[in-house]
Amino acid sequence: MSPLSPYRRLFALPGTRAFTLGNLVARLPMGMFSVSAVIMIAGARGSYALAGAVTATGLATTAVVAPWTARLVDRHGQARVAVPATAFALLGGTGLVASVRFGAPDWTLFAAYAATATTPNTGGMSRARWAHLLKGDAAALHTANSFEQAVDELCFMLGPVLAAFLCTAVSPEAGMLVASALLMTGVLLFTAQRSTQPPPRPAAAPGSPALAPGMPPLLLSFLATGVVFGAMEVATIAFADERGHSSAAGVVLALQAAGSCLAGLLFGVLQREAPSPGRTTSAGHAAGSSGPGGSAGTLKASARSAPFDADTLAARRYAVCVGAMAVLLTLPLLAVRLTGSLPVLAGALLVAGMATAPTMVTGMTLVQRRTPEGRLNEGMTLAVTGLLGGIAGGSAAGGWMVEHWSPAAGYTVPVAAATTALAIAALAARTGAARTRKHHPEPDPAHTPRSRQHRPEPDPVHTP
């Protein structure tokens, strides 16, 4: 089977190519806004700390507002909510450009950028469409989630390059203006595809998805992962500027996203999703039909395919992926400390980025499992806003380290944040496994009736 076969099957579904194209245009600016803001503000005001604080404020505000926007999307539909929300957000973006251009007081920068918080979660809306179209097909949904993560990385690969080019070669304000135009255009194209849109759920389950079982530690790990991204971005821009190559910052950041994009596409081909509830694996069935103890083997195989066990296995995979990310993030720190070379840093970021996509895919899979019915867009937006909140803190912490110590010191923040995310994910996986063993203990073959232990399973081939 060709490695591209799972992706071909995805886009054979009617309407999927059209909404994916529009969503790609809408998501490209997500990799442009913060880089454009940092370069524009730092160039005009001469302070990376101010630039980091402004972007942090905008992202923190988004972390508060975005779940409410997503809840409206779930209740009233994507088209009715996303278009006016995007239009309002563009007012904040153009206000930031005007404030910088005409030398307005610093507080106006914070107010303007905070107004962009109504930007809808375009990636979450796309994932919600896949979940709607592929309901009941876990393998295809795994491929779709991997593809969506690769798209995220592609946008964060191309976005910073385009933003850095526009801000340095055209004008400091060009990056923000072009990003705003692309966002509005993409949202209009995406929401025009009504046939693949999930139906509105005005009577969704009560309560916040943030309080669903297993969600609080998962969202905390997303928060810590966001710190990695925010601090890495500010530290890399500052390091490139220190070496006299500020225009290369976007390319260097793009290499990290390139590694993650390639890893995400490969991860989508690997069908790692647990079997559907109630379905026994072939290996488990073989174990259950082979001699004494076969019934116990069948029961164990059934336990492996139960929903709670699938969640536990996914949580363990997530912890492993976060651990790989934490280890690989030491490479950029070592590169700047030991060599001080921008090309070496670029190579280190390329390798370090390869753990990002698997981490995000397994994390989003857990979010989709744990979000209540009818609240999927809100649940995924909570995960994204957790990332944004982390990016906000990471941008501020990274900017402070750069301003008061050095750009090289800024790379200690991502390492510390990834280690924190690993501790949270590992503890949550261990707690979940313990809870599973407590409430769903495996049957003990010693206490299985002998008549059942020695009763052979019928051979489906030779049974009359």
Side-chain angles (χ1 to χ4, degrees), residues 396-444:
W400 190 91
M401 291 292 286
V402 166
E403 191 86 5
H404 293 84
W405 293 88
S406 68
Y411 287 96
T412 61
V413 179
V415 175
T419 304
T420 302
L422 173 59
I424 295 171
L427 180 61
R430 184 175 181 180
T431 303
R435 188 182 302 113
T436 298
R437 287 193 297 268
K438 178 179 178 181
H439 294 287
H440 304 276
E442 290 187 354
D444 187 352

Side-chain angles (χ1 to χ4, degrees), residues 19 23 27 78 122-130 148 190:
F19 86 70
N23 196 264
R27 282 156 82 173
Q78 294 180 354
T122 51
M125 291 191 296
S126 184
R127 288 179 172 91
R129 292 197 181 207
W130 286 119
E148 289 296 324
F190 175 74

Side-chain angles (χ1 to χ4, degrees), residues 201-421:
R201 298 292 185 90
S208 172
L211 302 179
M215 283 290 280
L218 184 58
L219 295 178
L220 285 176
S221 68
F222 271 76
L223 182 70
T225 303
V227 174
V228 172
F229 301 150
M232 187 72 73
E233 184 176 280
V234 173
T236 300
I237 293 173
F239 185 79
D241 189 31
E242 183 186 60
R243 292 296 183 270
H245 301 287
S246 59
S247 60
V251 178
V252 175
L253 288 169
L255 287 174
Q256 181 185 13
S260 183
C261 181
L262 293 174
L265 291 174
L266 178 60
F267 195 66
V269 176
L270 303 175
Q271 301 297 339
R272 298 176 60 93
E273 185 60 51
S276 299
R279 187 175 63 196
T280 304
T281 61
S282 58
H285 183 79
S289 59
S290 55
S295 297
T298 303
L299 288 170
K300 290 181 180 180
S302 299
R304 281 195 296 270
S305 63
F308 59 84
D309 202 41
D311 186 88
T312 300
L313 292 175
R316 288 177 175 174
R317 286 201 297 268
Y318 178 62
V320 170
C321 291
V322 175
M325 181 179 68
V327 171
L328 291 180
L329 280 173
T330 61
L331 297 179
L333 176 61
L334 293 174
V336 297
R337 288 288 191 183
L338 300 179
T339 70
S341 168
L342 192 60
V344 174
L345 172 63
L349 287 172
L350 175 66
V351 176
M354 292 182 178
T356 302
T359 300
M360 297 306 302
V361 170
T362 52
M364 281 296 182
T365 299
L366 281 172
V367 170
Q368 290 172 341
R369 285 184 179 278
R370 296 172 178 178
T371 299
E373 183 73 20
R375 308 290 289 274
L376 185 56
N377 193 69
E378 184 180 354
M380 289 188 292
T381 299
L382 284 169
V384 172
T385 53
L387 285 172
L388 293 178
I391 291 173
S395 296
W400 190 91
M401 291 292 286
V402 166
E403 191 86 5
H404 293 84
W405 293 88
S406 68
Y411 287 96
T412 61
V413 179
V415 175
T419 304
T420 302

